[in-house]
Amino acid sequence: MAYTAGHSRLRRGRFSSIGYTYHVTFTTRNRIPYFSDLIQARRFVNVLKEDEILGYTKTLAFIVMPDHVHWLFELKRSSLSQSVKRVKSIFTSRGIERVWDYGFYDHAIRSDESLINVARYIVANPLRTGLVDKVGDYSHWDSIWLE
């Protein structure tokens, strides 16, 4: 898929600043469920953990769904676009063919938003999609607010 004019419009007005918290969502190419495979899902979780260890981000919550990822994090270094590109590229460089669709959706968390509520929304994805009956039955998520 080639970049289209629509992709550049998505980037207009995109703001990123170190120290801010973002909720980003990105999808697999053609929504192929790459992460139905346990090994692939855990490989991606490890990439997020490595990114934090290297000091680029501080992950607050994430969920790796079969065909997309939700990631709530504080930006520590570089830009928002560079951070998403980095984790997608690292994962792809360690494995199979091109996995990711172009771009991502982002939401800068406002000061009046509850981070815990955003994290709850993220980890409840498997419930809303009918993959599991309890969040604890889904294994590809984490949150600093474990309950």
Side-chain angles (χ1 to χ4, degrees):
M1 178 180 161
Y3 281 106
T4 63
H7 285 97
S8 64
R9 282 196 297 269
L10 287 173
R11 290 188 297 276
R12 266 190 223 144
R14 181 170 275 164
F15 169 79
S16 70
S17 184
I18 292 171
Y20 279 70
T21 302
Y22 298 91
H23 172 200
V24 298
T25 304
F26 40 97
T27 60
T28 61
R29 184 175 50 87
N30 298 323
R31 300 294 286 227
I32 295 170
Y34 287 107
F35 300 118
S36 293
D37 179 314
L38 173 69
I39 292 169
Q40 298 301 334
R42 298 319 293 172
R43 280 183 55 234
F44 187 74
V45 169
N46 287 335
V47 169
L48 292 180
K49 291 180 186 293
E50 288 173 27
D51 201 64
E52 184 167 352
I53 290 167
L54 293 171
Y56 289 103
T57 57
K58 173 161 179 47
T59 295
L60 305 176
F62 69 84
I63 192 148
V64 180
M65 296 292 287
D67 64 354
H68 68 283
V69 173
H70 288 268
W71 184 25
L72 179 67
F73 64 95
E74 182 181 339
L75 191 60
K76 295 291 191 181
R77 293 189 346 205
S78 72
S79 72
L80 177 60
S81 292
Q82 289 169 329
S83 293
V84 174
K85 181 179 179 180
R86 185 180 47 260
V87 297
K88 290 165 77 172
S89 295
I90 290 169
F91 179 79
T92 302
S93 71
R94 296 180 181 173
I96 56 181
E97 75 277 4
R98 193 185 117 224
V99 173
W100 305 107
D101 202 354
Y102 293 107
F104 61 94
Y105 168 81
D106 66 278
H107 173 71
I109 305 300
R110 298 182 314 266
S111 61
D112 64 339
E113 287 182 90
S114 167
L115 288 175
I116 293 173
N117 286 343
V118 175
R120 285 182 179 143
Y121 168 82
I122 289 170
V123 300
N125 261 264
L127 294 173
R128 286 193 300 279
T129 59
L131 289 175
V132 294
D133 293 324
K134 296 183 301 193
V135 170
D137 292 342
Y138 195 79
S139 57
H140 311 308
W141 69 274
D142 200 2
S143 170
I144 63 169
W145 302 282
L146 287 175
E147 294 183 24

